[in-house]
Coordinates of all heavy atoms in Angstrom, one line a residue:
S213 N 0.8 -1.2 0.0 CA 0.1 0.0 0.0 C 0.9 1.3 0.0 O 0.4 2.3 -0.4 CB -1.0 0.0 1.2 OG -0.2 0.0 2.4
S214 N 2.1 1.1 0.4 CA 3.0 2.3 0.4 C 3.3 2.9 -1.0 O 3.7 4.0 -1.2 CB 4.3 2.0 1.1 OG 5.0 1.1 0.4
D215 N 2.9 2.1 -2.0 CA 3.1 2.5 -3.4 C 1.7 3.0 -4.0 O 1.7 3.3 -5.2 CB 3.6 1.3 -4.2 CG 5.0 0.9 -3.9 OD1 5.9 1.7 -3.9 OD2 5.2 -0.3 -3.6
M216 N 0.7 3.0 -3.2 CA -0.6 3.5 -3.6 C -0.8 5.1 -3.4 O -0.2 5.6 -2.5 CB -1.7 2.8 -2.8 CG -2.0 1.4 -3.1 SD -2.4 1.0 -4.8 CE -4.0 1.9 -4.9
Y217 N -1.4 5.7 -4.3 CA -1.7 7.1 -4.3 C -3.1 7.4 -4.7 O -3.7 6.5 -5.4 CB -0.7 7.8 -5.4 CG 0.7 7.8 -5.0 CD1 1.5 6.6 -5.3 CD2 1.4 8.8 -4.3 CE1 2.8 6.5 -5.0 CE2 2.7 8.8 -4.0 CZ 3.4 7.6 -4.3 OH 4.8 7.6 -4.0
V218 N -3.6 8.5 -4.1 CA -4.9 9.0 -4.5 C -4.9 10.4 -5.1 O -4.1 11.2 -4.6 CB -6.0 8.9 -3.3 CG1 -5.4 9.7 -2.2 CG2 -7.4 9.3 -3.7
L219 N -5.6 10.6 -6.2 CA -5.6 11.9 -6.9 C -7.1 12.4 -6.8 O -7.9 11.7 -7.4 CB -5.1 11.8 -8.3 CG -5.1 13.0 -9.1 CD1 -4.3 14.2 -8.5 CD2 -4.8 12.8 -10.5
N220 N -7.3 13.6 -6.2 CA -8.6 14.2 -6.3 C -8.5 15.5 -7.1 O -7.5 16.1 -7.1 CB -9.1 14.6 -4.9 CG -9.8 13.4 -4.3 OD1 -11.0 13.1 -4.4 ND2 -9.1 12.5 -3.6
A221 N -9.5 15.8 -7.9 CA -9.6 17.0 -8.7 C -10.9 17.6 -8.7 O -11.9 16.9 -8.5 CB -9.1 16.7 -10.2
Y222 N -11.0 18.9 -8.9 CA -12.3 19.5 -9.2 C -12.3 20.2 -10.5 O -11.3 21.0 -10.8 CB -12.7 20.6 -8.1 CG -14.0 21.2 -8.4 CD1 -15.2 20.4 -8.2 CD2 -14.1 22.4 -9.0 CE1 -16.5 20.9 -8.5 CE2 -15.5 22.9 -9.3 CZ -16.6 22.2 -9.1 OH -17.8 22.7 -9.4
V223 N -13.3 19.9 -11.4 CA -13.4 20.5 -12.7 C -14.7 21.3 -12.7 O -15.8 20.7 -12.4 CB -13.5 19.3 -13.7 CG1 -13.3 19.9 -15.1 CG2 -12.3 18.3 -13.5
N224 N -14.6 22.6 -13.1 CA -15.8 23.4 -13.0 C -16.7 23.1 -14.1 O -16.6 22.2 -15.0 CB -15.4 24.9 -13.0 CG -14.8 25.4 -14.3 OD1 -14.9 24.7 -15.3 ND2 -14.3 26.7 -14.3
T225 N -17.9 23.9 -14.2 CA -19.0 23.7 -15.1 C -18.6 24.0 -16.5 O -19.3 23.6 -17.5 CB -20.1 24.6 -14.7 OG1 -19.7 25.9 -14.6 CG2 -20.9 24.1 -13.4
S226 N -17.5 24.6 -16.7 CA -16.9 24.9 -18.1 C -15.8 23.9 -18.4 O -15.1 24.1 -19.4 CB -16.2 26.3 -18.1 OG -17.3 27.3 -17.9
S227 N -15.8 22.8 -17.6 CA -14.7 21.7 -17.9 C -13.3 22.2 -17.8 O -12.4 21.7 -18.5 CB -15.0 21.0 -19.2 OG -16.2 20.4 -19.2
Q228 N -13.1 23.1 -16.9 CA -11.7 23.6 -16.5 C -11.3 23.1 -15.2 O -12.0 23.3 -14.2 CB -11.6 25.2 -16.5 CG -11.9 25.8 -17.9 CD -12.0 27.3 -17.8 OE1 -12.6 27.8 -16.7 NE2 -11.6 28.0 -18.7
V229 N -10.1 22.4 -15.1 CA -9.6 21.9 -13.8 C -9.2 23.1 -12.9 O -8.4 23.9 -13.3 CB -8.5 20.9 -14.0 CG1 -8.0 20.5 -12.7 CG2 -9.0 19.7 -14.9
K230 N -9.7 23.1 -11.7 CA -9.5 24.2 -10.8 C -8.8 23.8 -9.5 O -8.3 24.6 -8.8 CB -10.8 24.8 -10.4 CG -11.5 25.6 -11.5 CD -10.6 26.8 -12.0 CE -11.1 27.5 -13.2 NZ -10.3 28.5 -13.7
M231 N -8.6 22.5 -9.3 CA -7.9 22.0 -8.1 C -7.4 20.6 -8.4 O -8.2 19.7 -9.0 CB -8.8 22.0 -6.9 CG -8.1 21.6 -5.6 SD -8.1 19.7 -5.3 CE -9.8 19.5 -5.1
M232 N -6.2 20.3 -8.0 CA -5.7 18.9 -8.0 C -4.8 18.7 -6.7 O -4.0 19.5 -6.3 CB -4.7 18.7 -9.2 CG -5.4 19.0 -10.6 SD -4.5 18.3 -11.9 CE -5.2 16.8 -12.0
S233 N -5.1 17.5 -6.1 CA -4.4 17.2 -4.9 C -4.0 15.7 -4.9 O -4.9 14.9 -5.0 CB -5.3 17.5 -3.7 OG -4.7 17.1 -2.4
L234 N -2.8 15.4 -4.7 CA -2.2 14.1 -4.7 C -2.0 13.6 -3.2 O -1.4 14.4 -2.4 CB -0.9 14.0 -5.5 CG -0.3 12.5 -5.6 CD1 -1.2 11.7 -6.5 CD2 1.1 12.7 -6.2
G235 N -2.4 12.4 -2.9 CA -2.1 11.9 -1.6 C -1.4 10.5 -1.7 O -1.8 9.7 -2.5
K236 N -0.3 10.4 -0.8 CA 0.3 9.1 -0.8 C -0.2 8.3 0.4 O -0.4 8.8 1.5 CB 1.9 9.3 -0.6 CG 2.7 8.1 -0.3 CD 4.1 8.4 -0.1 CE 4.9 7.3 0.5 NZ 4.8 6.0 -0.4
C237 N -0.4 7.0 0.2 CA -0.9 6.1 1.2 C 0.2 5.8 2.2 O 1.3 5.2 1.7 CB -1.6 4.9 0.6 SG -2.2 3.7 1.8
L238 N 0.0 6.0 3.5 CA 0.9 5.5 4.5 C 0.3 4.2 5.2 O 1.2 3.5 5.7 CB 1.1 6.6 5.5 CG 1.8 7.8 5.1 CD1 2.0 8.8 6.3 CD2 3.2 7.5 4.4
L239 N -1.0 4.0 5.1 CA -1.6 2.9 5.7 C -2.9 2.6 5.1 O -3.8 3.6 5.0 CB -1.7 3.1 7.2 CG -2.1 1.9 8.1 CD1 -0.8 1.0 8.2 CD2 -2.4 2.3 9.5
D240 N -3.2 1.4 4.7 CA -4.5 1.1 4.1 C -5.3 0.2 5.0 O -4.8 -0.2 6.1 CB -4.3 0.4 2.7 CG -3.7 -0.9 2.8 OD1 -3.1 -1.3 3.9 OD2 -3.8 -1.7 1.8
E241 N -6.5 0.0 4.7 CA -7.4 -0.7 5.5 C -7.1 -2.2 5.4 O -6.7 -2.8 4.4 CB -8.9 -0.5 5.0 CG -10.0 -1.2 5.9 CD -9.9 -0.7 7.3 OE1 -10.6 0.3 7.6 OE2 -9.3 -1.4 8.0
V242 N -7.3 -2.9 6.6 CA -7.0 -4.4 6.6 C -8.2 -5.2 6.8 O -8.2 -6.5 6.6 CB -6.0 -4.7 7.7 CG1 -4.6 -4.1 7.4 CG2 -6.5 -4.3 9.1
L243 N -9.4 -4.6 7.1 CA -10.7 -5.4 7.2 C -11.0 -5.9 5.8 O -11.1 -5.2 4.9 CB -11.7 -4.6 7.8 CG -11.6 -4.2 9.3 CD1 -12.8 -3.2 9.7 CD2 -11.7 -5.4 10.2
P244 N -11.3 -7.2 5.7 CA -11.5 -7.8 4.4 C -12.5 -7.1 3.5 O -12.3 -6.9 2.3 CB -12.0 -9.2 4.7 CG -11.4 -9.5 6.0 CD -11.3 -8.3 6.7
L245 N -13.6 -6.7 4.1 CA -14.7 -6.0 3.2 C -14.3 -4.6 2.9 O -15.0 -4.0 2.0 CB -16.0 -6.0 4.0 CG -16.8 -7.3 4.0 CD1 -18.0 -7.2 4.8 CD2 -17.0 -7.8 2.5
N246 N -13.2 -4.1 3.5 CA -12.9 -2.7 3.2 C -11.5 -2.5 2.6 O -10.9 -1.4 2.5 CB -12.9 -1.8 4.6 CG -14.3 -1.7 5.1 OD1 -15.3 -1.6 4.4 ND2 -14.5 -1.7 6.4
I247 N -11.0 -3.6 2.1 CA -9.7 -3.5 1.5 C -9.7 -2.6 0.3 O -10.7 -2.6 -0.5 CB -9.3 -5.0 0.9 CG1 -9.1 -6.0 2.1 CG2 -8.0 -4.8 0.1 CD1 -7.9 -5.7 2.9
G248 N -8.8 -1.7 0.2 CA -8.7 -0.7 -0.9 C -9.1 0.7 -0.3 O -8.8 1.7 -1.1
N249 N -9.6 0.8 0.9 CA -9.8 2.1 1.5 C -8.5 2.5 2.2 O -7.6 1.7 2.6 CB -10.9 2.0 2.6 CG -12.3 1.9 2.0 OD1 -12.4 2.2 0.8 ND2 -13.2 1.4 2.7
Y250 N -8.3 3.8 2.3 CA -7.1 4.4 2.9 C -7.4 4.7 4.3 O -8.4 5.3 4.7 CB -6.6 5.6 2.2 CG -6.4 5.3 0.7 CD1 -7.2 6.0 -0.2 CD2 -5.4 4.5 0.3 CE1 -7.0 5.7 -1.6 CE2 -5.1 4.3 -1.1 CZ -5.9 4.9 -2.0 OH -5.7 4.7 -3.4
N251 N -6.4 4.6 5.3 CA -6.6 5.0 6.7 C -5.5 6.0 7.1 O -5.6 6.5 8.3 CB -6.6 3.8 7.7 CG -8.0 3.1 7.7 OD1 -9.0 3.6 7.4 ND2 -7.9 1.8 8.1

């Protein structure tokens, strides 16, 4: 999971990107039904 990243962006009503934020995973979920979530 230390090689996992999440990217969030906001694109306005004119389809112009106005925000981008990258996050690096330091710890992911270990509960079987929630694998893939970040903690």
Side-chain angles (χ1 to χ4, degrees):
S213 61
S214 64
D215 294 307
M216 291 295 300
Y217 293 79
V218 59
L219 174 66
N220 276 272
Y222 180 76
V223 190
N224 71 8
T225 51
S226 300
S227 295
Q228 298 172 323
V229 176
K230 291 300 177 181
M231 182 275 295
M232 305 196 86
S233 176
L234 185 68
K236 172 181 166 57
C237 179
L238 295 180
L239 196 69
D240 67 340
E241 184 59 87
V242 294
L243 290 174
L245 285 177
N246 294 326
I247 296 293
N249 289 338
Y250 305 112
N251 279 337

